[in-house]
Amino acid sequence: MAKRAEQSKAIAQQCATSRTASMLPYFSTAAVARDMHRIRAALGEEKTSFAGYSWGTHLGAVYTTLFPERSDRILLDSNLHATGWDFANDRLFAQGMDDRFPDFAKFAATQDGTYHLGSTPAQVTTKYFELATRLDKTPVQDVDGPTFRMLTYGFLFNDVAMPLVAKVWQALDTGQPLPPIPGDGAVPNVDNLISGRYYLVCNDSQWPRSVGTYQAAVALDRLRHPMFGAAGANVQPCAFWSKP
């Protein structure tokens, strides 16, 4: 936790002193919503239709609040916490894993003849913890425990990826080559992507400033959500954010 706090503090300092720091006061979900409003006008459209996912659900809610008379068909999927992407929302990732994993466990159990991960959802769940613990101690094909947990979590957003998750588990369990993973893992302009995210998220809401608050949350979430762990409760650069 102490190491993560120092890393987060350094990131916040980099953002506060970067060549784009002068733009910091102008980054917010409300500002993006106003940009959408101007784009609508520039296109000559009377109203905006919008599909938002994850943070986009917050953007859609803010837009319709600011410009209800300009809102047409608004679809919000995988909604954020009511107060946006704040500390409370970050901690919901763990609950999301708890809610979603049973769908995969049921799928894998019905395909036990193919993947051999367990013939019941309970057995598949046990296999998850068994593999995670084993990979924590001895990574396989460069996949350690945290990578295994995040890979499982990340690919369960869509049902279509469940066979891929099962194949990855099977390969890690039996020492077979990993199946091809879609994409090469490279994210274009990732520095700008992450920086922009911090600018928005940390500006939008007030995060706890005390490292002790995060330490307590981490300890609690490890117990409450052993499947995802306490990653969602860990300290973020927003804890050290400078708000001009």
Side-chain angles (χ1 to χ4, degrees):
M1 171 62 77
K3 182 179 180 181
R4 172 62 182 169
E6 287 302 312
Q7 291 171 337
S8 293
K9 189 174 183 178
I11 292 171
Q13 181 65 17
Q14 285 178 319
C15 289
T17 58
S18 73
R19 61 184 178 83
T20 57
S22 61
M23 300 169 63
L24 269 170
Y26 310 104
F27 274 76
S28 68
T29 302
V32 176
R34 294 186 182 101
D35 288 343
M36 287 173 56
H37 184 58
R38 296 297 297 272
I39 292 169
R40 175 205 57 76
L43 291 173
E45 296 291 338
E46 288 296 317
K47 294 188 175 184
T48 295
S49 291
F50 176 78
Y53 306 87
S54 188
W55 171 78
T57 65
H58 186 51
L59 174 58
V62 170
Y63 182 87
T64 57
T65 299
L66 291 175
F67 307 106
E69 75 285 356
R70 296 296 186 180
S71 301
D72 192 6
R73 291 163 294 177
I74 308 294
L75 170 67
L76 307 181
D77 185 342
S78 307
N79 293 37
L80 257 61
H81 193 265
T83 51
W85 199 319
D86 56 7
F87 182 48
N89 183 82
D90 251 19
R91 295 182 71 182
L92 288 177
F93 282 107
Q95 184 62 55
M97 180 66 164
D98 290 347
D99 293 343
R100 173 59 167 163
F101 186 82
D103 297 329
F104 173 73
K106 183 178 179 180
F107 163 80
T110 61
Q111 302 293 322
D112 186 45
T114 301
Y115 304 115
H116 310 292
L117 301 174
S119 59
T120 66
Q123 289 178 355
V124 175
T125 303
T126 298
K127 176 63 73 174
Y128 173 85
F129 288 108
E130 176 192 318
L131 278 171
T133 301
R134 191 194 314 170
L135 293 168
D136 279 336
K137 297 176 181 178
T138 308
V140 174
Q141 302 182 65
D142 295 325
V143 177
D144 58 9
T147 302
F148 167 75
R149 294 179 181 91
M150 187 53 66
L151 188 152
T152 299
Y153 170 83
F155 278 100
L156 289 186
F157 276 60
N158 298 294
D159 287 357
V160 70
M162 285 186 181
L164 173 63
V165 175
K167 289 175 184 176
V168 169
W169 281 32
Q170 184 181 40
L172 294 172
D173 190 36
T174 60
Q176 300 300 311
L178 287 170
I181 305 296
D184 58 5
V187 179
N189 207 4
V190 66
D191 182 68
N192 183 69
L193 175 68
I194 299 302
S195 298
R197 175 183 175 276
Y198 281 139
Y199 271 36
L200 279 169
V201 170
C202 299
N203 277 352
D204 262 1
S205 56
Q206 194 68 42
W207 290 59
R209 308 290 275 185
S210 167
V211 174
T213 299
Y214 297 94
Q215 289 174 322
V218 162
L220 183 60
D221 282 11
R222 279 201 181 110
L223 296 175
R224 284 181 172 176
H225 307 288
M227 184 161 281
F228 186 84
N234 214 334
V235 63
Q236 297 281 354
C238 302
F240 307 99
W241 205 247
S242 173
K243 292 191 176 182

PDB file of all heavy atoms in Angstrom, residues 55-77:
ATOM      1  N   TRP A  55     -18.176   4.658 -18.019  1.00  0.00           N
ATOM      2  CA  TRP A  55     -18.178   6.101 -17.767  1.00  0.00           C
ATOM      3  C   TRP A  55     -19.149   6.823 -18.696  1.00  0.00           C
ATOM      4  O   TRP A  55     -19.737   7.853 -18.336  1.00  0.00           O
ATOM      5  CB  TRP A  55     -16.769   6.677 -17.944  1.00  0.00           C
ATOM      6  CG  TRP A  55     -16.750   8.178 -17.913  1.00  0.00           C
ATOM      7  CD1 TRP A  55     -16.814   8.987 -16.811  1.00  0.00           C
ATOM      8  CD2 TRP A  55     -16.709   9.060 -19.041  1.00  0.00           C
ATOM      9  NE1 TRP A  55     -16.814  10.305 -17.170  1.00  0.00           N
ATOM     10  CE2 TRP A  55     -16.751  10.378 -18.558  1.00  0.00           C
ATOM     11  CE3 TRP A  55     -16.645   8.858 -20.412  1.00  0.00           C
ATOM     12  CZ2 TRP A  55     -16.716  11.494 -19.386  1.00  0.00           C
ATOM     13  CZ3 TRP A  55     -16.619   9.970 -21.250  1.00  0.00           C
ATOM     14  CH2 TRP A  55     -16.652  11.267 -20.724  1.00  0.00           C
ATOM     15  N   GLY A  56     -19.372   6.266 -19.889  1.00  0.00           N
ATOM     16  CA  GLY A  56     -20.313   6.878 -20.820  1.00  0.00           C
ATOM     17  C   GLY A  56     -21.726   6.962 -20.285  1.00  0.00           C
ATOM     18  O   GLY A  56     -22.507   7.826 -20.707  1.00  0.00           O
ATOM     19  N   THR A  57     -22.082   6.100 -19.329  1.00  0.00           N
ATOM     20  CA  THR A  57     -23.408   6.210 -18.722  1.00  0.00           C
ATOM     21  C   THR A  57     -23.512   7.474 -17.878  1.00  0.00           C
ATOM     22  O   THR A  57     -24.564   8.115 -17.820  1.00  0.00           O
ATOM     23  CB  THR A  57     -23.744   4.985 -17.848  1.00  0.00           C
ATOM     24  OG1 THR A  57     -22.850   4.926 -16.715  1.00  0.00           O
ATOM     25  CG2 THR A  57     -23.611   3.691 -18.633  1.00  0.00           C
ATOM     26  N   HIS A  58     -22.428   7.831 -17.219  1.00  0.00           N
ATOM     27  CA  HIS A  58     -22.405   9.065 -16.433  1.00  0.00           C
ATOM     28  C   HIS A  58     -22.485  10.274 -17.363  1.00  0.00           C
ATOM     29  O   HIS A  58     -23.217  11.241 -17.093  1.00  0.00           O
ATOM     30  CB  HIS A  58     -21.134   9.121 -15.581  1.00  0.00           C
ATOM     31  CG  HIS A  58     -21.080  10.272 -14.634  1.00  0.00           C
ATOM     32  ND1 HIS A  58     -22.110  10.580 -13.766  1.00  0.00           N
ATOM     33  CD2 HIS A  58     -20.108  11.202 -14.419  1.00  0.00           C
ATOM     34  CE1 HIS A  58     -21.785  11.655 -13.047  1.00  0.00           C
ATOM     35  NE2 HIS A  58     -20.579  12.043 -13.431  1.00  0.00           N
ATOM     36  N   LEU A  59     -21.756  10.195 -18.476  1.00  0.00           N
ATOM     37  CA  LEU A  59     -21.802  11.273 -19.457  1.00  0.00           C
ATOM     38  C   LEU A  59     -23.222  11.440 -19.993  1.00  0.00           C
ATOM     39  O   LEU A  59     -23.722  12.570 -20.114  1.00  0.00           O
ATOM     40  CB  LEU A  59     -20.827  10.980 -20.597  1.00  0.00           C
ATOM     41  CG  LEU A  59     -20.852  11.942 -21.792  1.00  0.00           C
ATOM     42  CD1 LEU A  59     -20.562  13.369 -21.350  1.00  0.00           C
ATOM     43  CD2 LEU A  59     -19.861  11.485 -22.856  1.00  0.00           C
ATOM     44  N   GLY A  60     -23.875  10.340 -20.311  1.00  0.00           N
ATOM     45  CA  GLY A  60     -25.244  10.419 -20.815  1.00  0.00           C
ATOM     46  C   GLY A  60     -26.198  11.015 -19.801  1.00  0.00           C
ATOM     47  O   GLY A  60     -27.083  11.814 -20.146  1.00  0.00           O
ATOM     48  N   ALA A  61     -26.014  10.639 -18.532  1.00  0.00           N
ATOM     49  CA  ALA A  61     -26.878  11.182 -17.472  1.00  0.00           C
ATOM     50  C   ALA A  61     -26.648  12.674 -17.292  1.00  0.00           C
ATOM     51  O   ALA A  61     -27.597  13.447 -17.108  1.00  0.00           O
ATOM     52  CB  ALA A  61     -26.614  10.433 -16.169  1.00  0.00           C
ATOM     53  N   VAL A  62     -25.382  13.082 -17.330  1.00  0.00           N
ATOM     54  CA  VAL A  62     -25.070  14.509 -17.181  1.00  0.00           C
ATOM     55  C   VAL A  62     -25.612  15.294 -18.376  1.00  0.00           C
ATOM     56  O   VAL A  62     -26.181  16.387 -18.206  1.00  0.00           O
ATOM     57  CB  VAL A  62     -23.546  14.716 -17.027  1.00  0.00           C
ATOM     58  CG1 VAL A  62     -23.187  16.189 -17.119  1.00  0.00           C
ATOM     59  CG2 VAL A  62     -23.076  14.145 -15.691  1.00  0.00           C
ATOM     60  N   TYR A  63     -25.458  14.745 -19.564  1.00  0.00           N
ATOM     61  CA  TYR A  63     -25.953  15.443 -20.759  1.00  0.00           C
ATOM     62  C   TYR A  63     -27.463  15.666 -20.675  1.00  0.00           C
ATOM     63  O   TYR A  63     -27.956  16.776 -20.933  1.00  0.00           O
ATOM     64  CB  TYR A  63     -25.604  14.664 -22.023  1.00  0.00           C
ATOM     65  CG  TYR A  63     -26.045  15.377 -23.279  1.00  0.00           C
ATOM     66  CD1 TYR A  63     -25.222  16.319 -23.890  1.00  0.00           C
ATOM     67  CD2 TYR A  63     -27.301  15.138 -23.853  1.00  0.00           C
ATOM     68  CE1 TYR A  63     -25.632  17.012 -25.025  1.00  0.00           C
ATOM     69  CE2 TYR A  63     -27.716  15.819 -24.973  1.00  0.00           C
ATOM     70  CZ  TYR A  63     -26.889  16.755 -25.558  1.00  0.00           C
ATOM     71  OH  TYR A  63     -27.306  17.438 -26.683  1.00  0.00           O
ATOM     72  N   THR A  64     -28.198  14.611 -20.336  1.00  0.00           N
ATOM     73  CA  THR A  64     -29.657  14.747 -20.291  1.00  0.00           C
ATOM     74  C   THR A  64     -30.101  15.661 -19.154  1.00  0.00           C
ATOM     75  O   THR A  64     -31.172  16.262 -19.220  1.00  0.00           O
ATOM     76  CB  THR A  64     -30.335  13.368 -20.125  1.00  0.00           C
ATOM     77  OG1 THR A  64     -29.845  12.725 -18.945  1.00  0.00           O
ATOM     78  CG2 THR A  64     -30.054  12.490 -21.321  1.00  0.00           C
ATOM     79  N   THR A  65     -29.277  15.779 -18.106  1.00  0.00           N
ATOM     80  CA  THR A  65     -29.593  16.699 -17.014  1.00  0.00           C
ATOM     81  C   THR A  65     -29.374  18.150 -17.453  1.00  0.00           C
ATOM     82  O   THR A  65     -30.191  19.032 -17.156  1.00  0.00           O
ATOM     83  CB  THR A  65     -28.713  16.391 -15.787  1.00  0.00           C
ATOM     84  OG1 THR A  65     -28.982  15.060 -15.340  1.00  0.00           O
ATOM     85  CG2 THR A  65     -28.996  17.355 -14.648  1.00  0.00           C
ATOM     86  N   LEU A  66     -28.273  18.386 -18.165  1.00  0.00           N
ATOM     87  CA  LEU A  66     -27.961  19.744 -18.615  1.00  0.00           C
ATOM     88  C   LEU A  66     -28.834  20.181 -19.791  1.00  0.00           C
ATOM     89  O   LEU A  66     -29.214  21.351 -19.901  1.00  0.00           O
ATOM     90  CB  LEU A  66     -26.487  19.836 -19.021  1.00  0.00           C
ATOM     91  CG  LEU A  66     -25.450  19.722 -17.911  1.00  0.00           C
ATOM     92  CD1 LEU A  66     -24.042  19.699 -18.504  1.00  0.00           C
ATOM     93  CD2 LEU A  66     -25.576  20.883 -16.929  1.00  0.00           C
ATOM     94  N   PHE A  67     -29.143  19.227 -20.685  1.00  0.00           N
ATOM     95  CA  PHE A  67     -29.856  19.575 -21.916  1.00  0.00           C
ATOM     96  C   PHE A  67     -31.035  18.625 -22.155  1.00  0.00           C
ATOM     97  O   PHE A  67     -31.072  17.902 -23.156  1.00  0.00           O
ATOM     98  CB  PHE A  67     -28.898  19.520 -23.113  1.00  0.00           C
ATOM     99  CG  PHE A  67     -27.648  20.339 -22.931  1.00  0.00           C
ATOM    100  CD1 PHE A  67     -26.430  19.717 -22.685  1.00  0.00           C
ATOM    101  CD2 PHE A  67     -27.694  21.726 -22.970  1.00  0.00           C
ATOM    102  CE1 PHE A  67     -25.273  20.471 -22.514  1.00  0.00           C
ATOM    103  CE2 PHE A  67     -26.551  22.484 -22.792  1.00  0.00           C
ATOM    104  CZ  PHE A  67     -25.336  21.856 -22.554  1.00  0.00           C
ATOM    105  N   PRO A  68     -31.993  18.582 -21.250  1.00  0.00           N
ATOM    106  CA  PRO A  68     -33.112  17.637 -21.410  1.00  0.00           C
ATOM    107  C   PRO A  68     -33.916  17.875 -22.682  1.00  0.00           C
ATOM    108  O   PRO A  68     -34.405  16.926 -23.312  1.00  0.00           O
ATOM    109  CB  PRO A  68     -33.966  17.886 -20.163  1.00  0.00           C
ATOM    110  CG  PRO A  68     -33.592  19.270 -19.707  1.00  0.00           C
ATOM    111  CD  PRO A  68     -32.149  19.414 -20.047  1.00  0.00           C
ATOM    112  N   GLU A  69     -34.028  19.130 -23.095  1.00  0.00           N
ATOM    113  CA  GLU A  69     -34.820  19.442 -24.281  1.00  0.00           C
ATOM    114  C   GLU A  69     -34.104  19.037 -25.573  1.00  0.00           C
ATOM    115  O   GLU A  69     -34.723  18.978 -26.643  1.00  0.00           O
ATOM    116  CB  GLU A  69     -35.138  20.944 -24.319  1.00  0.00           C
ATOM    117  CG  GLU A  69     -33.979  21.845 -24.707  1.00  0.00           C
ATOM    118  CD  GLU A  69     -32.939  22.046 -23.615  1.00  0.00           C
ATOM    119  OE1 GLU A  69     -33.139  21.530 -22.484  1.00  0.00           O
ATOM    120  OE2 GLU A  69     -31.924  22.715 -23.877  1.00  0.00           O
ATOM    121  N   ARG A  70     -32.792  18.727 -25.460  1.00  0.00           N
ATOM    122  CA  ARG A  70     -32.012  18.320 -26.634  1.00  0.00           C
ATOM    123  C   ARG A  70     -31.705  16.822 -26.628  1.00  0.00           C
ATOM    124  O   ARG A  70     -30.941  16.337 -27.453  1.00  0.00           O
ATOM    125  CB  ARG A  70     -30.695  19.099 -26.680  1.00  0.00           C
ATOM    126  CG  ARG A  70     -30.864  20.608 -26.870  1.00  0.00           C
ATOM    127  CD  ARG A  70     -31.493  20.929 -28.218  1.00  0.00           C
ATOM    128  NE  ARG A  70     -31.526  22.371 -28.462  1.00  0.00           N
ATOM    129  CZ  ARG A  70     -32.027  22.926 -29.556  1.00  0.00           C
ATOM    130  NH1 ARG A  70     -32.561  22.158 -30.506  1.00  0.00           N
ATOM    131  NH2 ARG A  70     -32.022  24.241 -29.712  1.00  0.00           N
ATOM    132  N   SER A  71     -32.282  16.092 -25.699  1.00  0.00           N
ATOM    133  CA  SER A  71     -32.001  14.662 -25.559  1.00  0.00           C
ATOM    134  C   SER A  71     -33.082  13.847 -26.253  1.00  0.00           C
ATOM    135  O   SER A  71     -34.272  14.029 -25.998  1.00  0.00           O
ATOM    136  CB  SER A  71     -31.928  14.280 -24.073  1.00  0.00           C
ATOM    137  OG  SER A  71     -30.916  15.019 -23.434  1.00  0.00           O
ATOM    138  N   ASP A  72     -32.649  12.931 -27.123  1.00  0.00           N
ATOM    139  CA  ASP A  72     -33.591  12.090 -27.850  1.00  0.00           C
ATOM    140  C   ASP A  72     -33.541  10.672 -27.292  1.00  0.00           C
ATOM    141  O   ASP A  72     -33.953  10.424 -26.167  1.00  0.00           O
ATOM    142  CB  ASP A  72     -33.271  12.137 -29.339  1.00  0.00           C
ATOM    143  CG  ASP A  72     -34.365  11.519 -30.205  1.00  0.00           C
ATOM    144  OD1 ASP A  72     -35.419  11.154 -29.658  1.00  0.00           O
ATOM    145  OD2 ASP A  72     -34.170  11.418 -31.430  1.00  0.00           O
ATOM    146  N   ARG A  73     -32.947   9.743 -28.020  1.00  0.00           N
ATOM    147  CA  ARG A  73     -32.872   8.348 -27.559  1.00  0.00           C
ATOM    148  C   ARG A  73     -31.542   8.150 -26.827  1.00  0.00           C
ATOM    149  O   ARG A  73     -30.472   8.235 -27.439  1.00  0.00           O
ATOM    150  CB  ARG A  73     -32.991   7.400 -28.744  1.00  0.00           C
ATOM    151  CG  ARG A  73     -34.381   7.403 -29.386  1.00  0.00           C
ATOM    152  CD  ARG A  73     -34.369   6.809 -30.769  1.00  0.00           C
ATOM    153  NE  ARG A  73     -33.587   7.633 -31.685  1.00  0.00           N
ATOM    154  CZ  ARG A  73     -33.362   7.318 -32.958  1.00  0.00           C
ATOM    155  NH1 ARG A  73     -33.829   6.191 -33.457  1.00  0.00           N
ATOM    156  NH2 ARG A  73     -32.640   8.116 -33.726  1.00  0.00           N
ATOM    157  N   ILE A  74     -31.608   7.877 -25.552  1.00  0.00           N
ATOM    158  CA  ILE A  74     -30.419   7.755 -24.703  1.00  0.00           C
ATOM    159  C   ILE A  74     -30.365   6.342 -24.134  1.00  0.00           C
ATOM    160  O   ILE A  74     -31.277   5.914 -23.422  1.00  0.00           O
ATOM    161  CB  ILE A  74     -30.433   8.788 -23.553  1.00  0.00           C
ATOM    162  CG1 ILE A  74     -30.664  10.199 -24.089  1.00  0.00           C
ATOM    163  CG2 ILE A  74     -29.147   8.696 -22.745  1.00  0.00           C
ATOM    164  CD1 ILE A  74     -29.552  10.744 -24.967  1.00  0.00           C
ATOM    165  N   LEU A  75     -29.295   5.606 -24.464  1.00  0.00           N
ATOM    166  CA  LEU A  75     -29.103   4.240 -23.958  1.00  0.00           C
ATOM    167  C   LEU A  75     -27.921   4.230 -22.996  1.00  0.00           C
ATOM    168  O   LEU A  75     -26.815   4.650 -23.362  1.00  0.00           O
ATOM    169  CB  LEU A  75     -28.828   3.289 -25.123  1.00  0.00           C
ATOM    170  CG  LEU A  75     -28.371   1.867 -24.746  1.00  0.00           C
ATOM    171  CD1 LEU A  75     -29.495   1.120 -24.053  1.00  0.00           C
ATOM    172  CD2 LEU A  75     -27.895   1.111 -25.972  1.00  0.00           C
ATOM    173  N   LEU A  76     -28.144   3.782 -21.771  1.00  0.00           N
ATOM    174  CA  LEU A  76     -27.087   3.698 -20.765  1.00  0.00           C
ATOM    175  C   LEU A  76     -26.933   2.248 -20.334  1.00  0.00           C
ATOM    176  O   LEU A  76     -27.886   1.628 -19.874  1.00  0.00           O
ATOM    177  CB  LEU A  76     -27.428   4.577 -19.551  1.00  0.00           C
ATOM    178  CG  LEU A  76     -27.769   6.038 -19.862  1.00  0.00           C
ATOM    179  CD1 LEU A  76     -28.063   6.806 -18.564  1.00  0.00           C
ATOM    180  CD2 LEU A  76     -26.664   6.712 -20.645  1.00  0.00           C
ATOM    181  N   ASP A  77     -25.736   1.700 -20.487  1.00  0.00           N
ATOM    182  CA  ASP A  77     -25.482   0.284 -20.237  1.00  0.00           C
ATOM    183  C   ASP A  77     -24.264   0.141 -19.320  1.00  0.00           C
ATOM    184  O   ASP A  77     -23.206   0.686 -19.606  1.00  0.00           O
ATOM    185  CB  ASP A  77     -25.221  -0.422 -21.571  1.00  0.00           C
ATOM    186  CG  ASP A  77     -25.056  -1.926 -21.430  1.00  0.00           C
ATOM    187  OD1 ASP A  77     -24.809  -2.407 -20.308  1.00  0.00           O
ATOM    188  OD2 ASP A  77     -25.163  -2.621 -22.447  1.00  0.00           O
TER     189      ASP A  77
END
